Amino acid sequence: MKTRPASAALDRASTLACLATAAAAILPLSTVLPRWVSGALLVLLSIASVALWRSWSVGALIRIPLTLGMTAYLMVEFGVGFGGGFGRDTAAALLAIMLLLKLLELRTVRDGRAILSFSLFAILAAFLQDRGPLILFMALVATLLALASMARMAEVETPNHAAASKLELRGRFARIGKLAAFSLPLAIVAFFLFPRLANPLWALPQNSDEARTGLSDEMSPGDISSLYLDDSPVMRVRFFGDTPPQSDLYWRGPVLSAFDGRQWSRMARVRDVDLPVVEPIGAPIEYEVEQEPTERRYVFALDLPILTAKDQTLTYEQSLRADQPLLAVSRLRLRSQPSYRLDPNMVGTLRSWFTELPPDYNPRTNDLIAAWRADGDSDEAIISRALTLFNAEFSYTLNPLLLGRNSVDDFLFNTKAGYCEHFASAFAVMMRSAGIPARVVTGYLGASQNRVGSYMVVRQSDAHAWTEVWLQDKGWVRIDPTSAVAPERINNGIDALGADGRASRGWGKPLFDAADWVRRGWNDIVLSFDADKQSRLLSPFGIEKAEWQQLAIALITAAGVALLITMGLLLRPSRDNRDALARAYARFLLRLAKRGAIKPPSEPPLVFAARIAAHFPNNAATIHSLSMRYVRQRYAPADADSQSEAALCTDLHRFRLLPENSS
């Protein structure tokens, strides 16, 4: 058997270069993974940094249990063992943790190259999570650092390792940056002209139990309140006309009509029911929505959407759903009806569906509503009485207590404090207990004005839940029980509850507005460049809708031009940092040539100096000294430095031949 040759040992500088590259590669991932994963990565990076800095040897008895423990922790937290599935987040987090654990066994050049290679995979994994300009910038820095570190690995294995190691880091980065810049022409051509796919290759499935948006087809107490600290944008909105007040900005999402005693979910039976009648009242509102990828099919539209965009359908619950999961930024022009009557004559069978409650749940709530009915209260009176109860005895809190099996009973008679989903769920159960059809609507409420870009931003922290009840001749009517407890939340948006010191909603809002405006422009120019825009790319040349054959010809032509530009840049005469020395030496030779001492190009400088010494005996020592210094500076990197080079250039420029003694 052939034995693998031993890999060279890493010096301290190379070890630290690998550590810095791994840290830079993990940084983009840490900004898009869950916080607990980022915390675990920080702990591992700290352990690896201390071990490498102090040159500690971490044995297998420590590495193996640490690896197994971190893997198990990751799987349990992501819920793989409980039906969560192995999705993109899990794989990205596992890759990042394995990369940092690899640092604990960093000893040789082979180990270093493995770490640098895995670092490049970690950078790519960050783009599977987010393709924004900030991630791109961090990825470029990490990539350049990885390439510079790879160059360092090559230097470690060179015979003249000591001389090569003295090359300045700035010079190494300059060469790597120059090589990367040479690839830009071809990269630009490929971005604009390479055939676009309907779905990007990086649109891998997310964990099955979560998606990019915090809202889903189910809602339990505490689901929406957990989004309060998440300021990531959901969508950006521009109105064509007057902007509605905050209290009217209800962005309709999943409508939940099935209740199992604790959790609300979509009702499967209504999916095949014909669309209800919508009677508009007043003028509609037109607006444009740019929605971030959610990996779900919901399109969040202003309540009540009446016009669908391409590749969308309107459900019976009047929610917009895309035909395919939203894997990329979507720009849609929509129309909504703020005042309406929705299904005012709903058939009795449907009404019975929306009054269903599971048996043996929330008995105290049922008794309370039965007592109200016994008082002869009408449907409108029961609605008013429930809202009055909330206003008198309940409080709005961002940190609601956990609820028991009879969640509504526990909320109404014990905790009496909750977030919007607690009030919406309890109110809907109370109405159904009274025989009034009710359902829970989830979505977002309000939006913040971006003063840099003159548009509005809806964030995850704007997530909200409200209730719809059905009344005879009025149809489905929106009732937001949160307004009875915290009207400031309805009228002034989430900021009315306090910014909790968050810069994005306080002193740092102008900076965040500017950053979001940059992100919006990035979405418009880069992320939204799809096959349709690509087909119109040749319109300046009279081709309104380019076919694939025309795009192929354009791609080949542009790629050829880009390659010619790149080859021209690569083959142009090199001008390194020692051109000044070359010019000074050329001037030195010119002065000697004027006195008859001509140096052939193939003659070495020291041989030339020895040959002409007999012709210029009074100058022989100076000529030999200058030639020796030039050779050392030019051809001996170990002795080269900028200060000596500058001094030599000065002496070569000042050289003048002394007169020789006449015989």
Side-chain angles (χ1 to χ4, degrees):
M1 292 179 60
K2 293 183 178 180
T3 58
R4 178 184 296 178
S7 182
L10 283 180
D11 57 8
R12 186 172 182 80
S14 301
T15 300
L16 295 179
C18 291
L19 175 63
T21 301
I26 292 300
L27 181 59
L29 264 180
S30 65
T31 62
V32 293
L33 288 174
R35 293 182 180 179
W36 63 267
V37 177
S38 300
L41 295 178
L42 179 60
V43 171
L44 281 179
L45 181 61
S46 301
I47 294 173
S49 300
V50 172
L52 293 176
W53 183 262
R54 295 184 175 273
S55 300
W56 289 345
S57 178
V58 182
L61 292 179
I62 297 178
R63 294 199 311 268
I64 293 176
L66 186 59
T67 301
L68 294 177
M70 292 300 299
T71 303
Y73 170 68
L74 184 71
M75 296 302 179
V76 171
E77 288 293 334
F78 271 116
V80 170
F82 302 94
F86 192 92
R88 189 184 58 222
D89 274 357
T90 315
L94 186 62
L95 170 64
I97 287 178
M98 292 300 113
L99 169 61
L100 295 182
L101 287 171
K102 180 65 178 176
L103 289 172
L104 298 178
E105 56 182 19
L106 177 60
R107 297 291 182 273
T108 65
V109 171
R110 185 180 295 113
D111 297 330
R113 288 200 173 114
I115 287 173
L116 297 177
S117 299
F118 278 115
S119 296
L120 295 176
F121 278 103
I123 295 169
L124 178 62
F127 284 104
L128 301 180
Q129 308 287 334
D130 183 20
R131 296 177 293 280
L134 179 60
I135 296 295
L136 176 64
F137 173 76
M138 292 189 291
L140 286 176
V141 173
T143 301
L144 291 177
L145 187 57
L147 294 176
S149 300
M150 286 180 177
R152 175 76 186 189
M153 296 295 105
E155 293 169 5
V156 171
E157 294 184 317
T158 58
N160 194 16
H161 170 46
S165 298
K166 290 191 175 183
L167 292 177
E168 293 184 0
L169 182 63
R170 184 173 61 180
R172 187 179 292 114
F173 267 109
R175 289 194 295 274
I176 294 298
K178 185 183 297 184
L179 291 176
F182 288 157
S183 66
L184 282 179
L186 189 59
I188 293 173
V189 169
F191 174 80
F192 284 105
L193 292 174
F194 194 82
R196 294 271 162 170
L197 302 178
N199 291 318
L201 292 177
W202 54 77
L204 301 179
Q206 180 57 286
N207 295 337
S208 61
D209 62 342
E210 62 178 294
R212 286 296 172 205
T213 178
L215 301 178
S216 66
D217 288 345
E218 298 86 24
M219 185 196 76
S220 299
D223 287 351
I224 295 181
S225 59
S226 63
L227 299 175
Y228 172 68
L229 295 178
D230 187 355
D231 274 341
S232 57
V234 176
M235 57 185 179
R236 299 166 183 89
V237 185
R238 183 168 61 94
F239 287 97
F240 301 108
D242 295 335
T243 301
Q246 287 282 339
S247 58
D248 290 343
L249 295 179
Y250 281 85
W251 304 98
R252 192 181 188 91
V255 179
L256 314 178
S257 304
F259 184 61
D260 63 3
R262 179 174 181 81
Q263 185 180 71
W264 288 87
S265 60
R266 290 191 66 203
M267 182 179 289
R269 287 175 290 178
V270 302
R271 297 178 184 178
D272 298 325
V273 178
D274 293 336
L275 291 179
V277 175
V278 178
E279 299 179 4
I281 303 174
I285 296 176
E286 292 193 12
Y287 54 99
E288 184 182 68
V289 167
E290 180 188 280
Q291 184 169 314
E292 291 287 324
T294 62
E295 301 180 3
R296 297 192 186 276
R297 297 186 179 185
Y298 283 106
V299 175
F300 297 96
L302 194 65
D303 199 19
L304 186 80
I306 58 175
L307 177 65
T308 61
K310 183 179 66 173
D311 301 328
Q312 293 176 9
T313 56
L314 195 61
T315 68
Y316 170 80
E317 302 101 330
Q318 294 299 116
S319 293
L320 283 181
R321 283 175 63 88
D323 295 342
Q324 299 293 331
L326 300 177
L327 303 175
V329 175
S330 304
R331 172 164 290 183
L332 311 167
R333 182 158 181 161
L334 303 174
R335 182 184 301 163
S336 293
Q337 186 67 47
S339 299
Y340 55 85
R341 286 206 309 167
L342 175 59
D343 203 5
N345 299 306
M346 185 170 56
V347 299
T349 302
L350 290 176
R351 290 203 297 267
S352 65
W353 289 357
F354 295 108
T355 58
E356 292 178 348
L357 288 173
D360 303 325
Y361 277 89
N362 305 303
R364 298 181 67 184
T365 300
N366 294 330
D367 292 342
L368 174 65
I369 299 302
W372 289 0
R373 275 299 192 195
D375 293 339
D377 288 345
S378 63
D379 290 353
E380 288 83 354
I382 288 180
I383 293 173
S384 178
R385 199 165 178 175
L387 295 177
T388 301
L389 175 66
F390 287 157
N391 178 263
E393 301 181 18
F394 288 74
S395 60
Y396 196 72
T397 177
L398 301 173
N399 300 296
L401 298 175
L402 296 178
L403 303 178
R405 176 182 182 275
N406 295 306
S407 57
V408 177
D409 278 1
D410 208 7
F411 173 68
L412 290 179
F413 299 99
N414 296 326
T415 65
K416 295 188 177 184
Y419 204 59
C420 60
E421 70 265 35
H422 297 79
F423 290 99
S425 177
F427 186 81
V429 170
M430 295 169 73
M431 296 302 103
R432 288 192 173 193
S433 181
I436 303 173
R439 60 192 182 188
V440 174
V441 185
T442 60
Y444 298 90
L445 172 61
S448 60
Q449 181 70 38
N450 185 303
R451 302 187 184 280
V452 178
S454 299
Y455 59 90
M456 306 194 78
V457 182
V458 180
R459 303 182 182 274
Q460 290 288 7
S461 53
D462 295 315
H464 192 60
W466 61 95
T467 310
E468 286 183 337
V469 298
W470 187 88
L471 299 174
Q472 187 65 45
D473 297 328
K474 294 182 179 180
W476 288 104
V477 179
R478 182 173 67 219
I479 303 291
D480 192 346
T482 301
S483 63
V485 186
E488 66 277 7
R489 166 69 178 98
I490 310 302
N491 297 325
N492 301 318
I494 197 69
D495 291 342
L497 302 179
D500 289 346
R502 283 177 288 171
S504 60
R505 295 189 180 271
W507 58 268
K509 190 176 186 306
L511 179 61
F512 276 79
D513 284 348
D516 189 78
W517 176 76
V518 172
R519 176 59 187 257
R520 183 172 185 255
W522 178 265
N523 291 346
D524 293 344
I525 298 173
V526 178
L527 297 188
S528 64
F529 186 78
D530 53 13
D532 184 59
K533 288 186 177 180
Q534 187 182 58
S535 67
R536 298 196 302 268
L537 198 61
L538 301 181
S539 57
F541 303 96
I543 304 174
E544 293 301 327
K545 194 77 170 179
E547 301 292 337
W548 69 268
Q549 297 94 334
Q550 296 167 319
L551 287 175
I553 294 173
L555 173 62
I556 294 173
T557 303
V561 173
L563 288 174
L564 287 176
I565 294 174
T566 302
M567 293 300 296
L569 293 174
L570 288 173
L571 297 178
R572 68 177 181 172
S574 173
R575 293 191 61 183
D576 59 21
N577 60 347
R578 286 178 288 187
D579 278 354
L581 178 59
R583 290 193 297 270
Y585 186 68
R587 186 180 294 272
F588 166 75
L589 294 178
L590 180 62
R591 290 194 177 97
L592 292 174
K594 289 180 179 179
R595 298 288 296 271
I598 300 175
K599 175 184 175 299
S602 60
E603 187 175 22
L606 293 181
V607 175
F608 171 68
R611 179 171 63 82
I612 66 173
H615 299 283
F616 306 102
N618 290 345
N619 298 275
T622 302
I623 293 174
H624 182 269
S625 174
L626 290 174
S627 299
M628 179 65 71
R629 289 168 61 191
Y630 172 76
V631 169
R632 288 178 178 175
Q633 192 70 31
R634 188 73 172 179
Y635 303 110
D639 299 331
D641 63 83
S642 56
Q643 187 174 0
S644 300
E645 179 183 315
L648 176 58
C649 289
T650 300
D651 292 343
L652 288 171
H653 281 297
R654 291 177 177 176
F655 171 76
R656 298 292 187 276
L657 281 170
L658 297 176
E660 300 293 338
N661 296 327
S662 57
S663 54

